[in-house]
Every structure is written in C-alpha cells, then in structure tokens.
Amino acid sequence: MDDGPWPHPSQGAARSAATVLQPQAAGVGDWTNVHTPDARSASAATAMIAAPRALRTFLRSPTAMAGFVILLSMVVAAILAPVLYPGDPLSMVARPLLWPGQNSAFPLGTDSLGRDIAAGLLHGARVSLLVGAAATLIGLTLGILVGSIAGYHGGWIDDVMVRLIELFQTIPSFILLIVLVSIAQPSIPTVIWAIGLITWPTIARLVRAEFRSLREKEFVLAARSLGYGHARIIFREILPNALPPIIVTSSVMVASAILMESALSFLGLGDPNAVSWGSMIGAGRELLRTAWYLTALPGLVIVLAVLSLNLIGDGLNDALNPRFSGDR
C-alpha cells in the first residue's frame, strides 16, 4: 500500500518532538503557560477574596464590635485630651480629695494633691496606649525577623535562633523588665523599649512555627522555581500568609504591654514627668480605705482597655482563622 502524502509514524513522532522543542529554541515568549499568574499574584487574589469575608465576620460579631467601640472611645479621648484639659495634668487645681460628683468643675474628683482625676485619666490614656502600641510594634518587628529567619532556613540557623529564644524565655519576663528599666533612666522611651525586648520571643515562636509549615507549600516552591530571592520569598510570599495568627496575637500583646506599664508605674518605675493609669493607682494606694475612687477609677479604665483588646482579638481570631471562617 502506497503511503502517498501521509507521513510515516516515525516521522510523525519526530515532528511532534520537534514541535515540543521548537518553543524552547524560539524563546520563552512562545510558552503560553509562562503568562499564567505567578505565586504572588495567586496568593494576592486569594487574600483579596478572603478579606471582605473576614471583615463581614468581624463586623457581625457583637463582642468584637463592643471591644472596638470601647477602644475607639479611648483613642478619641486620648487624642482630645490636650483640647479638653489643656493644662498640666500633674498640676494642683483644686482642694484635695474631692469625691466624684462633689464639684461640677471636677466631675471625677481630685486626688490627695488636688490634681484633677478626669484630666489624669485622659492624659494617662495617651501614655498607656502609646506604650502598648509602640512596645508591641518593637516586639513584632524583632519576633518576625527572628522567627522568619529560623523557620525559613532551618538547620543550624534554626538551632541558634531557638536557643536565643529559649534564653530569653527562661528569665522571668517581669523581673527582666524591672532590671532593664532600673538600669536605664525611667522614661517613656525606656519603658517602651524594655517591654518590646521582653515580648518578642512569643511572636518569634509563633512566626517560626508558621514558616515551618508554609515553606514547603506549592506557592513557595513555585516562587523558588521562578528565581525569587530569599528576602522576597520570606516577606512577600510566606509572611502575608502567616499574618492572621500574628494579627490576633498582637492584640493580646498590646493588652499585656499596657498591664506591664501600669505595673511599672505602680512600683514607681514609670516616667515621673508623665501621668499614666498605673501611676494614678500607685498614688492612691495609701488612701485605699478612705478614698477608694483614686484607685478604682484608673483600675476600671485599665480593665476596660484590656477587655476591649481581648474582645477584638477573639473577633479577629474568628474572622481570620480558616477553620472558623470556612463555616460561615
């Protein structure tokens, strides 16, 4: 039988192989699959889809919204403190030990030195919230750097980083905080840096665990195959996927930082030139039986601040945790 114009099977196989190899010789521009979204684009698209769903879940949580409203009220009060009480909150403005409601000019009363309690609470919110936010930012920065390097590289680098984390965690955190503040001059920057230096191991362990579970995922392997550097893979590929538990933990870290600053001020290790909620409690502890409001009012504000942050943390956990958000 004459083959005629039909190619021989061996010729067809050779032609198919040449067709497969032809784009490689012509250049990557002829490959159609090169133009598909890379790992970063795919993860960004997934994040854009999940973000509105997480926001709706957070807004539907009554406890999270209650915490958000309380915290927002405190932030607004701290911002408006110089407008509502432009004077020095440490200055003596009235007769000492005025009870709340006794004088309309001082609705929350005065302390043993005649200082306005309401002015102290509002100006103290500026110090306490600033210390909580700034110390958490320092702890997050150090923890993310150490945890990401340890979890991504592994090996001896991971062993060294883990030993460093364990070294800090073997020392009682509050005792280390007192030592650091006592060595340096007690001031707001000193307290911020000291709290940040003792809180980073917690976030470092969390980031390390997240990176160890994500470094072998498909999108990371795809990023490596595309020739991305280590820094880009760490900060632009893995870290965005590890943010949900970090965000939840950061809200708890802010609450812990506020409590630590209050405890330092209560012990007299805070900034003597600034009023805070902890210093107000410390100033009123000697009159706890006769003027209990001096410690009750700033203590109640601390409870509300910590409670609001914990409620926000629970709401963020429900919104960002895929095991919970997938059911909604």
Side-chain angles (χ1 to χ4, degrees):
M1 181 177 180
D2 189 10
D3 295 337
W6 300 98
H8 192 271
S10 61
Q11 298 176 356
R15 187 175 303 173
S16 300
T19 304
V20 172
L21 296 175
Q22 182 179 2
Q24 192 172 7
V28 258
D30 297 331
W31 287 89
T32 57
N33 60 345
V34 172
H35 300 284
T36 57
D38 60 358
R40 185 169 65 90
S41 301
S43 60
T46 304
M48 291 177 63
I49 295 174
R53 181 172 53 192
L55 181 59
R56 289 195 302 268
T57 303
F58 181 81
L59 294 177
R60 290 174 182 173
S61 174
T63 56
M65 292 308 300
F68 179 76
V69 170
I70 296 174
L71 183 61
L72 181 62
S73 302
M74 293 185 176
V75 172
V76 172
I79 295 174
L80 296 178
V83 179
L84 299 176
Y85 295 95
D88 186 2
L90 295 176
S91 59
M92 294 176 282
V93 294
R95 183 170 61 87
L97 297 179
L98 288 175
W99 278 72
Q102 187 175 349
N103 190 334
S104 60
F106 308 99
L108 298 181
T110 58
D111 63 1
S112 58
L113 297 178
R115 297 174 294 193
D116 191 357
I117 299 295
L121 291 178
L122 266 65
H123 284 269
R126 298 170 63 89
V127 174
S128 298
L129 295 179
L130 173 63
V131 170
T136 300
L137 182 61
I138 295 174
L140 284 175
T141 303
L142 296 176
I144 289 175
L145 287 176
V146 174
S148 60
I149 293 174
Y152 177 77
H153 290 284
W156 67 270
I157 298 179
D158 185 25
D159 293 337
V160 172
M161 295 298 181
V162 169
R163 297 300 175 268
L164 179 63
I165 295 172
E166 291 177 347
L167 176 63
F168 274 82
Q169 289 189 325
T170 54
I171 305 175
S173 58
F174 191 70
I175 295 179
L176 179 60
L177 177 62
I178 294 177
V179 171
L180 292 176
V181 175
S182 299
I183 293 175
Q185 182 69 25
S187 62
I188 294 178
T190 301
V191 172
I192 290 175
W193 279 101
I195 295 177
L197 290 176
I198 68 169
T199 55
W200 69 267
T202 302
I203 202 71
R205 279 191 172 275
L206 175 62
V207 173
R208 174 181 174 270
E210 290 294 324
F211 268 67
R212 285 175 62 89
S213 63
L214 293 173
R215 66 182 180 183
E216 301 299 333
K217 296 293 184 180
E218 290 79 3
F219 68 92
V220 179
L221 299 178
R224 290 174 179 169
S225 65
L226 291 173
Y228 291 169
H230 295 306
R232 178 168 181 173
I233 294 177
I234 290 175
F235 295 106
R236 300 185 64 179
E237 304 294 338
I238 304 180
L239 183 58
N241 292 275
L243 279 180
I246 297 175
I247 294 174
V248 174
T249 307
S250 63
S251 63
V252 181
M253 291 177 62
V254 175
S256 299
I258 292 175
L259 290 175
M260 290 181 184
E261 187 278 331
S262 301
L264 285 176
S265 299
F266 178 81
L267 296 176
L269 295 176
D271 192 340
N273 299 319
V275 59
S276 67
W277 296 334
S279 63
M280 294 179 67
I281 296 177
R285 61 183 173 182
E286 296 180 357
L287 301 173
L288 187 59
R289 293 185 178 181
T290 57
W292 54 266
Y293 67 94
L294 297 178
T295 56
L297 292 177
L300 178 62
V301 175
I302 293 175
V303 170
L304 291 176
V306 175
L307 177 62
S308 65
L309 289 167
N310 287 328
L311 292 178
I312 291 175
D314 292 339
L316 290 174
N317 185 37
D318 294 341
L320 299 176
N321 195 328
R323 292 178 297 178
F324 297 152
S325 60
D327 298 336
R328 291 177 170 83

